[in-house]
Amino acid sequence: MNRRTKTAVFGAALLLTATAAAASAAASSGSGSGSPVQAREAAALTGKAKLYRSAGDDITFSFDAHLAAKDKADPMKATGTFEWSHYLNGEGARAKAKVDCLLTGGKVAVVSGVITSSDLPGAKGKRVGITVHDLGHRDRLGYSWASTGTPVEMKDLPKCVSSAPFEKVKKGTGDFSVTPWQPDL
């Protein structure tokens, strides 16, 4: 065999090996085996981080909010929880809410929920909303009580309502992740 023929045979063998490996990988992942491929969830907001405050406030938010693929058309079928705490000089409060709506667009999410537990008197049962802008390294966050002072002072907040994400995440304290909603329009 001359050099050109050997190169062609070697190239063909390499191509066949790569094709077989790709087919094997596809079959084991379920995409070529007749098994249904699991659809990604319709939207999500997850993660935990602290906010930056020059005065030294210790403010932490965490999210575990999801909209299942089967509920893609109704963001009010979102599930999960989110919680936060805000302390300064040993005083403050924490709260946890059950998700009742999740809307995402690109890397921005708005989640709302009703407070299920809190050590802030009068907060339990109040609906709150939070907005997150997932910027990768320095995410931003806003909350529905930004202009009222506390969730207790808000009146009848509708689902999926919040403020602009004006707060910054403190560098190195965590990260939020937004899965964009892609409704059929």
Side-chain angles (χ1 to χ4, degrees), residues 14 22 45 60 75-76 79 94 104 116 119 142 150 163 174 180:
L14 202 59
L45 171 59
T60 303
M76 289 187 263
T79 61
R94 52 146 296 281
T104 64
T116 57
D119 52 7
T150 72
S163 72

Side-chain angles (χ1 to χ4, degrees), residues 2-185:
N2 67 26
R3 185 174 185 190
R4 189 175 286 169
T5 305
K6 287 180 185 178
T7 303
V9 169
F10 179 71
L14 202 59
L15 183 60
L16 286 172
T17 303
T19 303
S24 174
S28 67
S29 71
S31 62
S33 65
S35 304
V37 176
Q38 193 168 32
R40 79 166 180 90
E41 58 192 340
L45 171 59
T46 58
K48 180 178 182 176
K50 291 181 178 282
L51 298 187
Y52 170 77
R53 284 285 180 90
S54 60
D57 301 45
D58 182 6
I59 307 170
T60 303
F61 281 84
S62 64
F63 301 95
D64 186 22
H66 304 272
L67 180 63
K70 67 181 180 61
D71 295 323
K72 180 178 179 177
D74 188 356
M76 289 187 263
K77 289 190 176 178
T79 61
T81 60
F82 56 95
E83 48 191 299
W84 68 98
S85 61
H86 183 168
Y87 293 97
L88 179 62
N89 300 324
E91 294 193 23
R94 52 146 296 281
K96 183 173 185 175
K98 181 179 177 189
V99 171
D100 63 11
C101 187
L102 173 65
L103 283 172
T104 64
K107 289 296 189 175
V108 177
V110 177
V111 64
S112 64
V114 175
I115 297 173
T116 57
S117 66
S118 179
D119 52 7
L120 179 64
K124 191 172 177 182
K126 293 281 190 172
R127 177 175 289 113
V128 294
I130 301 173
T131 305
V132 170
H133 190 183
D134 177 4
L135 295 170
H137 300 294
R138 282 299 280 279
D139 296 340
R140 298 181 72 90
L141 185 139
Y143 34 86
S144 57
W145 62 93
S147 62
T148 63
T150 72
V152 175
E153 299 168 45
M154 290 187 327
K155 303 277 189 226
D156 303 324
L157 185 74
K159 292 180 180 181
C160 270
V161 172
S162 185
S163 72
F166 62 95
E167 299 262 19
K168 291 181 185 175
V169 166
K170 186 176 180 180
K171 188 176 182 180
T173 65
D175 188 32
F176 302 126
S177 179
V178 174
T179 301
W181 183 47
Q182 299 169 339
D184 297 326
L185 300 175

